[in-house]
Amino acid sequence: MHAWEAIQQTLDWIEDHITRNLEMEELAQLASLSPFYYQRLFSRLVKRPVREYIKLRRLARACDSLGNKNQRILDIALDWGFGSHETFTRAFKEAYGLTPEQYREHPVMLNQFDKPDLLLGYTMIDEGVPLVSDGLVLEMNRRTLAVPVPFIGVAGYVPIDGQMPLGEATGVDMPGEVWNRFHQMKSQIPRVPNGRELGVAYMGDAPEGHFTYFAGAEAETDIAGEPFRSWQLPAQEYIICGFEAENFEKLVTVALNKAVKYTGLWLKNRGLTMEAYSPEMYYNSTPEASYMELWLPVNEIRK
């Protein structure tokens, strides 16, 4: 068994027994390691100490329960392995910058520390060959865009802190807030029939420590003036990472975060670099199919 497989086995175990009192010796035994080496290897591969990781995964699961206002916050805290209301509140505020009560009264999208899929760091697929792993179906292909594609939408400045790296940072999901604004206003956009929607992060004129995030729809004509912004998908060669997930919520959170990480490793493995933007292309999803693509603009092949 490879080292990453041993750690993945314990990640799966933790997720299935997240409400239990998980002992370090038990987890180390599952990985066939001493507690000392298990904790060292876990921190190296997961990028968090074991106890901190368990706390963050419990918080992620507890967020779903907070939507039920008939359930007391104390009961939610105890259900998800926190010893008291105070302990839960302190951990929640440290992770997200607001209390459970504030989140319950005014729900916002939150960035969570995802359960890692370590296989994606050790498996490189060829173009056109699907990879299936832990609920994710992913495929890499190459495409050349002959003419630019115009999009109209809204944009905002997003602080880098609390947003990156994807799937590891915790806090309010600020790009998600940009998407919320877009969905409230998109009926005013002259859209291409059955057109796609796009989200893209780029520097633009963002202040230091921030990036610009744009969310928009494929448009037939331009709209001048606030609150709308326009953005063009440039004509050039792209590596397209297409992926599916069980439902739309998982597609735009866990699956997207995994795909972003995997594409970075995939490009590096092939000596490819890209420009400083990677649009997320959204297609019409149905309850039976949730699919999207990352368009990676190939900029240079290192010799």
Side-chain angles (χ1 to χ4, degrees), residues 11-22:
L11 289 169
D12 296 340
W13 175 268
I14 289 169
E15 204 70 17
D16 291 340
H17 302 83
I18 194 70
T19 60
R20 279 186 45 188
N21 181 25
L22 298 170

Side-chain angles (χ1 to χ4, degrees), residues 37-69:
Y37 282 110
Y38 171 70
Q39 291 179 82
R40 285 189 61 182
L41 187 57
F42 188 101
S43 296
R44 175 184 164 193
L45 294 178
V46 180
K47 301 174 185 172
R48 285 290 193 282
V50 180
R51 291 298 180 199
E52 184 182 353
Y53 170 78
I54 293 172
K55 178 182 71 174
L56 291 172
R57 289 303 302 149
R58 284 174 171 166
L59 285 171
R61 303 282 289 273
C63 285
D64 295 333
S65 300
L66 285 169
N68 179 7
K69 292 189 177 182

Side-chain angles (χ1 to χ4, degrees), residues 14 28 96 108 255:
I14 289 169
Y96 307 119
V108 294

Side-chain angles (χ1 to χ4, degrees), residues 102-122:
Q102 290 170 326
Y103 175 71
R104 169 171 275 182
E105 291 305 315
H106 303 284
V108 294
M109 294 184 67
L110 297 175
N111 292 320
Q112 305 288 6
F113 197 104
D114 298 334
K115 174 196 168 193
D117 186 357
L118 300 179
L119 168 69
L120 297 178
Y122 296 91

Side-chain angles (χ1 to χ4, degrees), residues 155-158 178 200-207 210-214 229:
Y157 299 141
V158 176
V178 176
V200 59
Y202 59 98
M203 288 309 301
D205 57 356
H210 294 68
F211 60 87
T212 302
Y213 190 86
F214 170 90
R229 297 270 292 270

Side-chain angles (χ1 to χ4, degrees), residues 126-129 138-143 238-242 266 291 293-294 296:
D126 294 327
E127 291 180 28
V129 178
L138 178 152
E139 185 173 329
M140 310 291 287
N141 288 285
R142 194 179 300 258
R143 192 180 310 171
Y238 291 88
I239 297 293
I240 309 294
C241 174
W266 194 92
Y291 174 81
E293 295 172 343
L294 289 176
L296 312 170

Side-chain angles (χ1 to χ4, degrees), residues 150 152 185-193 217-223 228:
I152 294 173
M185 304 168 64
K186 66 182 181 181
S187 61
Q188 304 173 48
I189 297 173
R191 302 182 60 159
V192 171
E218 203 169 351
E220 291 183 318
T221 59
D222 200 354
I223 298 179
F228 293 104

